[in-house]
Amino acid sequence: MKNRGMRQRLGFAWEGIAAAWRNERSFRIQTIFALALPVALLLLRVSAVWWALCLIIALLVLAAELFNTALESLIDHLHPEIHPAIGTAKDCAAGAVLLLSAGAVIVGVIVVLVALGVLS
Ligand SMILES: Nc1ncnc2c1ncn2[C@@H]1O[C@H](COP(=O)(O)OP(=O)(O)OP(=O)(O)O)[C@@H](O)[C@H]1O
């Protein structure tokens, strides 16, 4: 399974994203927010730095959600039984998504305040 071509690797990565879209409601919601983001940034008329910051944090949230989904999928397959350690692992993964989502909300509020001239 090693040393596959770039096209095949991209296909695997795309399949992972598509699987998360099919199976995870939260990933679908986050993706819709990320797709709406460029429209919001165009309307707010913010600088390139704000574009970069907002797009990076939106992609980080999506990436964290994919890691969370990967971990859940792996754990549920390898160890379907209840165990406190599994609970901790899943809670930590969910916590990582929560922290990045909170960061995205904070950046979103700041960029709106900057666009409105409340902050500089
Ligand atoms: N096998 C397990 N053993 C112990 N606790 C578990 C186990 N599976 C789930 N849990 C607990 O239940 C919580 C929710 O688990 P679940 O797998 O439903 O994740 P979820 O984030 O709700 O999933 P999804 O993102 O698919 O909605 C976990 O964060 C964990 O606290």
Side-chain angles (χ1 to χ4, degrees):
M1 294 293 275
K2 287 273 175 206
N3 298 321
R4 305 244 180 190
M6 176 60 85
R7 204 171 156 173
Q8 210 167 11
R9 284 163 187 268
L10 285 176
F12 292 143
W14 178 252
E15 182 45 46
I17 293 169
W21 174 269
R22 281 194 302 274
N23 301 325
E24 294 294 329
R25 185 169 165 267
S26 42
F27 184 74
R28 288 196 292 275
I29 294 169
Q30 289 153 354
T31 302
I32 290 165
F33 269 103
L35 291 174
L37 187 59
V39 179
L41 292 172
L42 275 177
L43 292 173
L44 291 171
R45 295 170 167 271
V46 288
S47 67
V49 174
W50 282 110
W51 272 80
L53 198 59
C54 291
L55 291 174
I56 284 171
I57 193 125
L59 290 174
L60 282 175
V61 171
L62 291 177
E65 188 64 44
L66 284 173
F67 276 121
N68 183 31
T69 302
L71 200 68
E72 276 178 14
S73 172
L74 189 67
I75 290 174
D76 288 342
H77 179 70
L78 293 181
H79 196 289
E81 300 82 22
I82 298 292
H83 191 283
I86 303 276
T88 303
K90 287 188 172 186
D91 290 347
C92 287
V97 176
L98 181 66
L99 285 183
L100 275 171
S101 301
V105 170
I106 291 167
V107 169
V109 169
I110 293 174
V111 76
V112 168
L113 293 177
V114 167
L116 294 176
V118 178
L119 290 177
S120 56

